[in-house]
Amino acid sequence: MQSKVGEYPFTVEPFHCDFSNHLFLSSLSNDLLNASDYHSESRGYGISYLNARHRTWVLSRLAVEMNDMPVAYDKIAISTWVEAAFRFFTSRNYAITSQDHQTVYGYGRSIWAMIDTDTRQPVDILQIQGGLIKDYIETDRDCPIAKPGRVAISKDATLAKTVTMNYHDIDVNGHVNSVKYIEHVLDLFGLDWYRSHRVKRFDIAYVAESHAGDELCFFMEKAAAKEENDEEEYLVRIVRKGAEDGEVVRCSIKFVKI
Amino acid sequence: MQSKVGEYPFTVEPFHCDFSNHLFLSSLSNDLLNASDYHSESRGYGISYLNARHRTWVLSRLAVEMNDMPVAYDKIAISTWVEAAFRFFTSRNYAITSQDHQTVYGYGRSIWAMIDTDTRQPVDILQIQGGLIKDYIETDRDCPIAKPGRVAISKDATLAKTVTMNYHDIDVNGHVNSVKYIEHVLDLFGLDWYRSHRVKRFDIAYVAESHAGDELCFFMEKAAAKEENDEEEYLVRIVRKGAEDGEVVRCSIKFVKI
């Protein structure tokens, strides 16, 4: 049996870095998804096993909290492990460190469901390989960040932008890629903002799928300031245009001044 | 002395693939730029040597011609070599193959200039490390695709789209990343188009820089059909809004039916 925690090396690519030479949070999220894929694949419950059985993993929530962001050419490691597994969801955690483990950049938490690719309905995770995933639950490794929280965005959030989903937004599942929403949300803030702020924590909940050609409306509001810290938090709801109940994504971005 | 041709392995990441599971041409181009970087860096005329001396490489033209595109998890190799070096430009070629060299996916050609990062003016490439780059010119390796051609787009091209450059479009040089233009150009075509067409050849000429907040106007026209083949060619000119002489990029995309 393989170890419960998998560790995967990545080199920070220069063109995956922003104007300040720090890795884009969207690119880091892509690496987290890759690490999840490598980890589950080599333990027998990855998408190549699932796809042959008309099943697939669906990312439901992702939270990333960073103390610092690596820069171009840094050699980083993403450790990932399953914290818990239930019938209809499983939680997977991440630690993002330097390859020598001397620097801890941050942590991530995610929640995944499994669906039938024909009916798009949830299926029982514990039925896969006789509940194999339960053999890999790791409870000793700490993930010292809060669990993905509910994003309490009000009805008063204002329309910040409308973006049409194009060819590059769509992945092999035929819908908008999870990472692309993160890109579009972080693009709501301009370069001047990022000159004086960095993302401390990013929470995203995937509510429904969207597709090529969909016009997505990004509604945003600033969260009420909490007295105990100097964070500024913004809440974003993404809704499909022309669909009153067409909520696709909710997220929260906590910035700190730099 | 290192070999003249450098070969670099890449694994095709699933989220760098389109709805049909084929690698995005934009992601492939990113890998070509990474291979260029690794190759020049390890031979003593890369950007870490240059940046310390207020110099940098600037991509002037890129042409990519593909027989086929790798799919997710394919292990590919990018070979790259310098074909020629002159005072104010150098040409670098690429071969994109499987790692066992049994499949040749395609080839690339690029032209680079070097600039002074303070004055943004061209500088003499042959002055760097006493003309070291000339020791690495490879003339035996074939690159069986046409050189980057002039994109003859007419004044009658129509405005297809206007796109504002955001946080994710900008790289550490402070201007729009070369690969992002490719993404925006290929996003001019919808998913239905890509269901029946693939890019056979893509030529792009970088004319001027653009920056965060710039509104870029994408003018497009269909090139006159050439009788000898069944390709469809589109020409695109990107112009900064509000700048009459603000041409930023010209490119040509040749599609074939699939």
Side-chain angles (χ1 to χ4, degrees):
Chain A
M1 198 178 113
Q2 298 211 33
S3 61
K4 292 179 179 175
V5 179
E7 183 177 316
Y8 306 93
F10 294 87
T11 299
V12 176
E13 287 191 28
F15 301 115
H16 293 168
C17 291
D18 73 3
F19 70 97
S20 74
N21 207 32
H22 290 85
L23 181 61
F24 282 117
L25 183 76
S26 52
S27 298
L28 173 65
S29 302
N30 184 53
D31 291 340
L32 297 179
L33 298 189
N34 284 330
S36 313
D37 188 27
Y38 302 151
H39 181 268
S40 60
E41 194 70 17
S42 64
R43 282 158 184 78
Y45 46 88
I47 55 166
S48 67
Y49 177 86
L50 294 178
N51 285 358
R53 286 148 189 89
H54 301 253
R55 300 280 185 270
T56 196
W57 287 114
V58 173
L59 179 61
S60 171
R61 283 167 184 264
L62 178 68
V64 183
E65 193 166 321
M66 303 300 289
N67 303 313
D68 193 11
M69 266 292 186
V71 300
Y73 303 107
D74 275 349
K75 299 206 172 290
I76 65 170
I78 295 175
S79 299
T80 182
W81 62 96
V82 172
E83 185 188 59
F86 303 97
R87 281 182 68 199
F88 293 120
F89 73 91
T90 172
S91 53
R92 170 184 288 287
N93 296 342
Y94 310 91
I96 303 115
T97 66
S98 56
Q99 286 179 13
D100 64 7
H101 303 140
Q102 295 302 299
T103 305
V104 177
Y105 293 108
Y107 294 92
R109 286 179 174 272
S110 63
I111 294 174
W112 300 74
M114 192 178 288
I115 62 164
D116 181 307
T117 52
D118 298 323
T119 66
R120 315 301 287 175
Q121 293 301 307
V123 293
D124 186 344
I125 293 168
L126 303 181
Q127 297 261 318
I128 298 299
Q129 302 257 50
L132 176 65
I133 195 169
K134 296 202 80 156
D135 295 345
Y136 286 102
I137 290 170
E138 164 66 42
T139 50
D140 292 338
R141 181 83 184 246
D142 193 28
C143 188
I145 65 168
K147 295 195 173 178
R150 210 182 94 75
V151 177
I153 185 166
S154 80
K155 293 275 177 205
D156 300 330
T158 55
L159 180 63
K161 195 158 66 170
T162 302
V163 185
T164 302
M165 293 299 101
N166 289 317
Y167 171 60
H168 279 90
D169 294 302
I170 308 301
D171 68 19
V172 71
N173 297 308
H175 51 242
V176 174
N177 176 251
S178 310
V179 170
K180 284 291 175 172
Y181 293 111
I182 302 176
E183 264 191 50
H184 291 301
V185 166
L186 292 177
D187 271 349
L188 295 171
F189 301 87
L191 226 61
D192 278 345
W193 177 261
Y194 288 106
R195 282 188 229 281
S196 56
H197 296 79
R198 71 169 187 85
V199 178
K200 168 77 182 165
R201 181 175 168 113
F202 190 94
D203 276 85
I204 185 163
Y206 299 97
V207 180
E209 297 168 0
S210 69
H211 303 88
D214 282 353
E215 286 182 80
L216 298 186
C217 304
F218 289 69
F219 292 91
M220 182 160 73
E221 70 178 357
K222 192 170 173 179
K226 295 185 182 71
E227 277 182 43
E228 66 264 34
N229 60 42
D230 63 348
E231 290 172 4
E232 288 190 68
E233 183 179 4
Y234 287 85
L235 309 173
V236 176
R237 177 197 288 126
I238 309 178
V239 178
R240 274 193 301 122
K241 194 171 183 174
E244 274 310 305
D245 56 351
E247 186 173 87
V248 173
V249 159
R250 279 182 176 219
C251 69
S252 136
I253 316 109
K254 285 188 182 132
F255 290 100
V256 285
K257 283 219 163 134
I258 49 176
Chain B
M1 198 177 113
Q2 299 211 33
S3 61
K4 292 178 178 176
V5 180
E7 183 177 315
Y8 305 94
F10 294 87
T11 298
V12 176
E13 288 190 29
F15 300 114
H16 292 168
C17 291
D18 72 4
F19 70 97
S20 74
N21 207 33
H22 290 85
L23 181 61
F24 282 118
L25 183 77
S26 52
S27 298
L28 173 66
S29 302
N30 184 53
D31 290 340
L32 296 179
L33 299 190
N34 283 330
S36 312
D37 188 27
Y38 301 150
H39 181 268
S40 60
E41 195 69 17
S42 63
R43 282 159 185 77
Y45 46 88
I47 56 166
S48 68
Y49 177 87
L50 293 177
N51 286 358
R53 286 149 189 88
H54 302 253
R55 301 278 187 271
T56 197
W57 287 113
V58 173
L59 180 61
S60 172
R61 282 167 185 265
L62 178 67
V64 182
E65 193 167 321
M66 302 302 287
N67 303 315
D68 193 9
M69 266 294 185
V71 299
Y73 304 106
D74 275 350
K75 299 206 172 290
I76 65 170
I78 295 176
S79 300
T80 182
W81 62 96
V82 173
E83 185 188 60
F86 303 97
R87 282 181 68 197
F88 293 120
F89 73 91
T90 173
S91 53
R92 169 184 289 286
N93 297 341
Y94 309 91
I96 303 115
T97 66
S98 55
Q99 285 180 14
D100 64 6
H101 302 140
Q102 295 301 300
T103 305
V104 178
Y105 293 107
Y107 293 92
R109 287 179 173 273
S110 64
I111 295 174
W112 300 74
M114 192 179 287
I115 62 164
D116 182 306
T117 52
D118 298 323
T119 66
R120 314 302 287 177
Q121 292 301 306
V123 294
D124 186 343
I125 293 168
L126 304 180
Q127 298 261 317
I128 298 299
Q129 301 257 52
L132 175 65
I133 196 172
K134 296 203 79 156
D135 295 345
Y136 286 101
I137 289 170
E138 165 66 42
T139 50
D140 291 338
R141 181 85 184 246
D142 193 26
C143 188
I145 64 168
K147 295 195 173 179
R150 209 181 95 75
V151 177
I153 185 167
S154 79
K155 293 277 176 201
D156 299 330
T158 55
L159 181 63
K161 194 158 69 171
T162 302
V163 185
T164 302
M165 293 299 101
N166 289 318
Y167 172 60
H168 279 90
D169 294 302
I170 308 301
D171 68 19
V172 70
N173 297 307
H175 51 242
V176 174
N177 175 251
S178 309
V179 170
K180 284 290 175 173
Y181 293 112
I182 301 176
E183 265 191 50
H184 291 300
V185 166
L186 293 177
D187 271 349
L188 295 171
F189 301 86
L191 226 61
D192 278 344
W193 177 262
Y194 288 106
R195 283 189 229 280
S196 55
H197 295 81
R198 71 169 187 87
V199 177
K200 168 76 181 164
R201 181 176 168 111
F202 190 94
D203 277 85
I204 185 162
Y206 298 97
V207 179
E209 295 168 1
S210 68
H211 302 88
D214 282 352
E215 286 182 79
L216 299 187
C217 304
F218 290 68
F219 292 92
M220 183 159 72
E221 70 178 357
K222 192 170 172 179
K226 292 183 184 73
E227 278 183 41
E228 65 265 32
N229 59 44
D230 63 348
E231 289 172 6
E232 287 191 67
E233 183 179 3
Y234 287 85
L235 309 173
V236 176
R237 177 198 286 128
I238 309 177
V239 179
R240 275 195 298 123
K241 193 170 182 175
E244 274 310 307
D245 57 350
E247 186 172 86
V248 173
V249 157
R250 280 182 175 218
C251 70
S252 137
I253 316 109
K254 285 186 181 133
F255 290 100
V256 285
K257 283 219 163 133
I258 48 177

